[in-house]
């Protein structure tokens, strides 16, 4: 369609999107209409002249992707999809109601939303993932991502910028809605477009500065982005916050403020009504895309993965077994990919890079974009394993939070857990990672103690719906399981038990071996304990924990290479909370320091010696009444 | 001193620093000698020709600051301070031993370390804080910060870059040790110095590219930085990783690898010995600085702060009371400052900006640098209150972790806690923030329910040694406390009690009011509960919780606008774990959604109605044996 025919139609669509945003937020009594108005022309042109997608099949694997990184413009997103025919326009007025999936910020409850946004600087990272995915499946689908100007202050945006240019993602087009006004004050550079351009160009992007309300310029920019090879494009659109309504245009104080009933609303709608123009033809959506053939075979079951090949007693670090495990997965399933943040030699993801270099994505020292990109890859159907030191995963804690909200299938592996890493000291020790991941609904948390269970759990994790966190350790530990042992997410293993156990010790990872040493010491001294490997930290096997506690005098001792709050002790306490079982928590209770691993386990109260002392202390009490 | 006299001495110092780094890491059996060798010339010149400091008084309030953001080069830092006379050189060989404060990565156990580093991209953010502090106290002390090239991939570095240039921090000099080799592979741009320069210049810094082993060039660069007005400087030093030892220079595979006993070590030391040159004079440290007069008055006690002036029943949001509280603090203590990330109108820190614009630091939407800068400010003696939406504090979770390790006195306020924010939906709801802060040792966690307790707790927080987290809510809540009520960190309030209480309900924030409604409903139906406001979530008043539980049939019900793990339920369970008291946890147990606040409290199981049901359910059980 020629521009003369196209533009009036697009202008009218933009006007409708503005009206819809204002109406919906008015009905809801909250929301960000002015943030929607600034981007309406950009979104109109994108949806109705640029992107290839099927509104009846938003998850189409080959359709272009649109990620609204400035998630507070959700009403605009919803209006665009309604305009495209994905659902009835009348639903727009249910915005933010408890019974509506049109929430205040977009979530993947909606089929056209890949990842939840609303925490700024995240959608652009997920866009890296969807763009990488296009390359992975040899598709020419493009990813478009709308970010806010204020959002550009977030460091994660610049992690994404580096990742995209290092990977030469010319299938990625960013658009910055430079409306100059933040939430509480004007943004850093307001309408100094050169400040944006110089930054994006410095980071290797092709930058195009345009008037964000000039539809010709917008269409030219999208075309120029499409024609640009070897680097991503950032369209810097100079816009007016509240565009279309005279008394909101460019005025401070309108962020997150719906229009009020009466004169305010009526006047705004009247002004917008006047902005409709005669349009010679109606706009059809760009060409339909063909559904590819269905995936030929069903995804491999965990059983298809090559089994562990260790011998009992082999000394293998679980972090190394992780590396082996993801390679085995990669061998049976081409949709398994891996991501690193310059620690692949420590996490052993380097094994995957060696085997499948095209499916390995290096982010350099940038954990936020690593997790964000994993979210985008997972949303598009890949199975991404993203790994780093567990303590550095806290750098991406807000992404972990949004991943839980999105319930997207990222598989995170954190190595170098706890004080058992030794001399590097506390900055490299993860002591709060179990708490971080247990806090969120939807995240399965696995903590294997040996190489066999590591391989088995990694395979289970791959096909578990939703996010998974796998915690691995630095030191070598002995293999204690055999190829016949079965593991389940939500399971546990009883390693030692007898009818005379005076307490149950629940451990995981390195503390399993401390517990087994304690078992031996106590046995030599004439008393017995039950020992449980809680390799599934979330969910836990509540029934089995309760049964064990009841069978051992109502006494459970938890011991974890982790701080005291939010981890294994918390999980076990919750599991037995409706019984009389008492839980005694052993954990690291102060900031640790450098030292040898064995010294540190002892100094910080979680070694075998301390377990023995704890058993003696709790067994000395009268048993709680059994039921 | 003229250059001809100075440079040979500095060269010899650099050689000694290399020898010390190699010896110390050899003794320790671990560490990063090659990362130290690349920066030895830069550090030699910095310590012995550029910075003004007193090695016997490293915390001098007016001395220049050096922050080693690439914390793994710790041996180099230690060697420099030993060389300067801060402690005996022989201690260097105790690196990484459990009994030594010379840990694997620097912590403020050492007097010359402001904030713990080792998690990359953080030191540079703290440097923003120490530079802002110089301005705050009208001192011309300079801040120097050494970062790694791989570290530059971290998004937080670019948050700091924007903050520094927006504030025109010409008292800040960064140095990037561009040694081209990361941990697991060469860095993004290796020795393409222009890639670094174009980025720093784009972000508004003065960038100087030099040969990082040319002492003349290094000294010129420090001088040029000092002479540069209105913008910070980044010296981009092209260096060789492992410089000084022929077989490590520029070779991959040497990251984090100490030299081995025997030929490797001996050869390296022999080569370095040969690098000593005749030096005409010995290097004295730059001019001593004068100790300022002692702070004239002792810091104000919390009692000096203007008391709350609300009337019982006033409807005030705790987030707004926070804004009032920090203004009152600012009025009595000039060292109180505030930081924002473009949400000041929501957190009410805007009140502080209005009252004390020179003590208010706007970071725009960049939470990592906000918290990092707060750490730097606190390390230098300010009392920084940094606030944003509580959910966005997870963006800085790794900084919170390092703040705990540093035990530095940052005061974080997170608003918009829980589902009670309503229609904005889960991306804006903090439901894991209590877990995040409780997980760390050293962090006090406060959660006031009304405006009076908010003001009192904020004042206590200011003078509490170490980090504090204050959680505030969006909705207005009624004032229930009077100006005579006393609050303590570690305390709680019993709001309702009688001899017939069938259970204790422990609540905080908005759930206090749900619990009080439940109390009224149960009372009307003829049964009584004890109600506790757990305004101090960490530490908790264990004795009082145990006493209450024992007095109410051994039954405690916790109810929090937070997920189930790691928060109030966890804290109370731990507190009573050595008793027979059973804790029933009420919390949000799934990802929430948009809706009205009251609808959401009810839908997600933490409203008055649910509390009543829970009381009836637990009270129906036979009471656990009282003691």
């Amino acid at each position: 369609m020629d521009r003369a025919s196209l533009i009036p139609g697009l202008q009218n669509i933009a006007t409708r999107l503005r009206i819809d945003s204002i109406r919906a937020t008015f009905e809801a009594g909250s929301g960000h209409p002015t943030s929607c108005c600034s981007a309406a022309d950009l979104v109109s042109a994108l949806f109705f002249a640029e992107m290839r997608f099927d509104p009846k099949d938003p998850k189409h694997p080959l359709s272009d992707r649109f990620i609204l990184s400035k998630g507070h413009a959700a009403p605009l997103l919803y209006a665009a999809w309604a305009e495209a025919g994905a659902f009835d326009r009348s639903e727009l007025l249910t915005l933010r109601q408890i019974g509506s999936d049109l929430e205040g910020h977009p979530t993947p409850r909606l089929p056209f939303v890949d990842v939840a946004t609303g925490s700024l600087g995240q959608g652009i990272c997920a866009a890296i993932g969807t763009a990488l995915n296009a390359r992975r499946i040899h598709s020419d689908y493009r990813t478009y991502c709308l970010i806010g100007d204020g959002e550009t202050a977030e460091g994660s945006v610049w992690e994404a910028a580096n990742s995209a240019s290092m990977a030469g993602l010319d299938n990625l087009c960013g658009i910055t809605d430079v409306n100059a006004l933040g939430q509480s004050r004007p943004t850093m550079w307001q309408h100094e477009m050169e400040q944006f351009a110089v930054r994006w160009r410095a980071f290797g992007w092709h930058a195009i500065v345009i008037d964000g309300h000039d539809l010709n310029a917008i269409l030219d920019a999208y075309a120029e982005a499409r024609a640009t090879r070897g680097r991503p494009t950032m369209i810097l659109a100079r816009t007016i916050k509240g565009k279309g309504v005279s008394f909101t245009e460019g005025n401070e104080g309108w962020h997150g403020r719906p229009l009020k009933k009466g004169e305010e609303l009526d006047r705004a709608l009247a002004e917008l009504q006047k902005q409709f123009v005669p349009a010679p033809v109606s706009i059809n959506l760009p060409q339909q895309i063909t559904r590819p053939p269905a995936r030929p075979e069903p995804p491999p079951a965990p059983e298809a993965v090559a089994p562990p090949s260790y011998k009992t007693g082999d000394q293998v670090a679980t972090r190394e077994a992780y590396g082996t495990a993801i390679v085995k997965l990669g061998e049976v399933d081409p949709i398994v990919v891996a991501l690193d943040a310059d620690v692949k030699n420590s996490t052993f993801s380097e094994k995957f890079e060696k085997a499948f270099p095209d499916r390995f994505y290096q982010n350099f020292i940038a954990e936020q974009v690593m997790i964000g990109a994993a979210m985008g890859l997972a949303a598009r159907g890949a199975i991404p394993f993203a790994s780093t030191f567990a303590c550095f995963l806290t750098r991406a804690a807000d992404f972990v939070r949004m991943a839980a909200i999105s319930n997207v299938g990222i598989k995170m592996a954190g190595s170098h857990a706890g004080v058992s890493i030794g001399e590097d000291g506390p900055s490299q020790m993860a002591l709060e990672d179990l708490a971080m991941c247990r806090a969120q609904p939807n995240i399965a948390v696995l903590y294997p103690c040996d190489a066999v269970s590591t391989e088995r759990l990694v395979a289970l994790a791959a096909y578990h719906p939703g996010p998974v966190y796998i915690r691995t350790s630095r030191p070598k530990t002995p293999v204690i399981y055999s190829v016949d042992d079965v593991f389940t997410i939500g399971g546990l293993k009883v390693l030692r038990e007898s009818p005379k156990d005076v307490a149950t010790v629940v451990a995981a990872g390195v503390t399993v071996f401390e517990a087994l040493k304690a078992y031996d010491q106590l046995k030599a001294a004439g008393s017995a304990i039950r020992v449980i490997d809680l390799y599934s930290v979330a969910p836990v096997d509540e029934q089995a924990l309760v049964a064990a506690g009841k069978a051992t005098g109502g006494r459970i001792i938890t011991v974890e290479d982790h701080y005291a709050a939010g981890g294994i002790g918390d999980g076990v306490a919750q599991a037995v909370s409706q019984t009389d079982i008492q839980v005694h928590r052993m954990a690291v209770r102060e900031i640790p320091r450098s030292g040898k691993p064995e010294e540190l386990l002892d100094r910080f109260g979680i070694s075998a010696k301390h377990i023995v002392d704890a058993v003696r202390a709790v067994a000395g009490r009268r048993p709680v009444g059994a039921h």
Side-chain angles (χ1 to χ4, degrees), chain A residues 597-610:
Chain A
E598 346 43 271
E599 288 180 320
L600 297 175
L601 288 172
D602 206 53
R603 167 82 168 259
F604 294 100
I606 55 172
S607 65
K609 182 187 89 169
H610 291 284

Side-chain angles (χ1 to χ4, degrees), chain A residues 155 157-166 197-206 231-232:
Chain A
V157 172
W158 302 100
E159 294 186 16
N162 271 334
S163 280
S165 63
M166 284 299 294
V198 73
R199 282 164 171 78
W200 286 100
R201 288 177 186 139
F203 274 68
W205 288 50
H206 178 59
R231 54 177 65 204

Side-chain angles (χ1 to χ4, degrees), chain A residues 102-139:
Chain A
L102 299 180
E103 299 191 58
H105 296 73
T107 80
R109 287 188 175 116
L110 296 164
F112 51 81
V113 175
D114 283 330
V115 296
T117 53
S119 186
L120 296 172
Q122 296 210 21
I124 183 69
C125 294
I128 304 307
T130 62
L132 287 172
N133 187 71
R135 200 175 265 185
R136 180 181 74 80
I137 64 171
H138 308 293
S139 164

Side-chain angles (χ1 to χ4, degrees), chain A residues 141-170:
Chain A
Y141 81 71
R142 291 177 62 68
T143 295
Y144 297 86
C145 183
L146 180 67
I147 70 177
D149 49 353
E151 179 172 9
T152 303
E154 281 288 3
S156 60
V157 172
W158 302 100
E159 294 186 16
N162 271 334
S163 280
S165 63
M166 284 299 294
L169 292 179
D170 50 24

Side-chain angles (χ1 to χ4, degrees), chain A residues 191-224:
Chain A
H191 274 145
E192 288 181 60
M193 304 305 293
E194 256 312 297
Q195 289 278 15
F196 293 89
V198 73
R199 282 164 171 78
W200 286 100
R201 288 177 186 139
F203 274 68
W205 288 50
H206 178 59
I208 311 171
V209 178
I210 60 166
D211 173 348
H213 301 300
D214 175 342
L215 282 159
N216 254 317
I218 293 171
L219 291 168
D220 285 345
Y222 288 144
E224 189 178 326

Side-chain angles (χ1 to χ4, degrees), chain A residues 210-247:
Chain A
I210 60 166
D211 173 348
H213 301 300
D214 175 342
L215 282 159
N216 254 317
I218 293 171
L219 291 168
D220 285 345
Y222 288 144
E224 189 178 326
R226 244 185 295 120
T228 299
R229 294 283 165 269
R231 54 177 65 204
T233 296
M234 177 56 72
I235 298 171
L236 298 161
R238 188 191 193 286
T239 59
I240 309 293
K241 196 158 179 171
K243 173 78 171 169
V245 176
S246 62
F247 53 91

